Amino acid sequence: IICLSIYNSFTITAVIAFDPATLRIWYFMALDALIDLIFLFDIILSFRTTYLDPKTGTEVSDQHAIAKKYLAEGRFFIDFASSVPFEAIFTTINPQYLQVFGLLKLARVRRIGIVIRNLNIRVDIKVFFKVLQLLFYLVLYIHVFACLWYWFVRTNQSWVLNMDFIWVGTQPTYEVYFQTDPLKQYLLNY
């Protein structure tokens, strides 16, 4: 589940910002649909997964208490909203606006911390995993903001030229934003 959420966290933002043709091929679309189906199945499992009561330390296996805790934490609503394929259901609405709901899938990555916290390993190894988690969040943060930066420039179709004397008489700086190669666009914004 965590590997799938990491894959989603990078591809969703890239699709929203760059809309690359390579990610609109049938097998990528089938992979995304399969991932959404797996996360819907994970929602069902979350209603059946026991947890430890923090006050008593006992395992709670009552289905009503498990469902109440899952709903009360708010995880259900985020998990459900991020798993529903709104683009397939609401075909009359502009899909560009529906893609924004895909950003809810970024919230799935928070499970990394839960998994690390619940690992039954030595403390120094847990700290190492926490540092790796922090580095991953940093890379994800940079990736998301690079994609958002490009999306803003692409939707506004305007850019303020650098008025520095170095750029006078050269190719305008903003022309590189409107190239067709998604990799060049991404690296420029990164």
Side-chain angles (χ1 to χ4, degrees):
I1 295 288
I2 290 175
C3 294
L4 297 176
S5 64
I6 290 171
Y7 166 79
N8 262 347
S9 63
F10 284 102
T11 58
I12 293 296
T13 52
V15 166
I16 291 172
F18 300 104
D19 194 28
T22 54
L23 290 178
R24 282 185 273 127
I25 299 174
W26 70 270
Y27 47 85
F28 280 114
M29 293 173 69
L31 179 63
D32 287 339
L34 179 66
I35 290 172
D36 287 340
L37 186 66
I38 290 171
F39 277 107
L40 281 172
F41 183 69
D42 184 56
I43 291 172
I44 296 168
L45 284 178
S46 294
F47 277 110
R48 309 283 299 168
T49 304
T50 62
Y51 67 94
L52 292 177
D53 187 5
K55 293 178 184 175
T56 62
T58 60
E59 184 177 13
V60 176
S61 59
D62 179 34
Q63 298 303 316
H64 295 291
I66 294 171
K68 185 177 179 181
K69 181 178 185 281
Y70 185 52
L71 291 171
E73 287 178 344
R75 285 182 31 216
F76 168 74
F77 301 108
I78 294 172
D79 289 345
F80 182 74
S82 65
S83 298
V84 174
F86 290 106
E87 296 92 5
I89 296 171
F90 301 110
T91 56
T92 58
I93 301 175
N94 187 355
Q96 182 180 2
Y97 298 117
L98 293 175
Q99 285 180 338
V100 176
F101 284 110
L103 292 176
L104 289 172
K105 295 178 184 181
L106 293 175
R108 295 175 178 168
V109 179
R110 74 186 187 291
R111 291 185 183 195
I112 295 173
I114 296 169
V115 169
I116 291 173
R117 186 179 60 226
N118 293 333
L119 284 176
N120 192 14
I121 55 175
R122 293 190 337 237
V123 175
D124 57 338
I125 297 174
K126 263 189 193 183
V127 170
F128 174 72
F129 282 136
K130 285 294 224 183
V131 170
L132 286 179
Q133 175 190 4
L134 181 66
L135 289 173
F136 167 72
Y137 283 158
L138 181 65
V139 169
L140 181 64
Y141 176 80
I142 292 170
H143 167 76
V144 168
F145 277 96
C147 291
L148 286 174
W149 179 266
Y150 178 77
W151 183 75
F152 286 133
V153 170
R154 186 184 64 154
T155 55
N156 293 332
Q157 295 286 323
S158 63
W159 187 256
V160 177
L161 284 175
N162 185 354
M163 300 310 285
D164 192 10
F165 68 92
I166 296 172
W167 300 104
V168 174
T170 62
Q171 175 188 12
T173 308
Y174 65 90
E175 284 184 11
V176 292
Y177 279 92
F178 304 108
Q179 295 180 2
T180 57
D181 184 19
L183 181 61
K184 287 182 183 177
Q185 293 169 342
Y186 179 74
L187 291 176
L188 176 70
N189 289 293
Y190 211 89

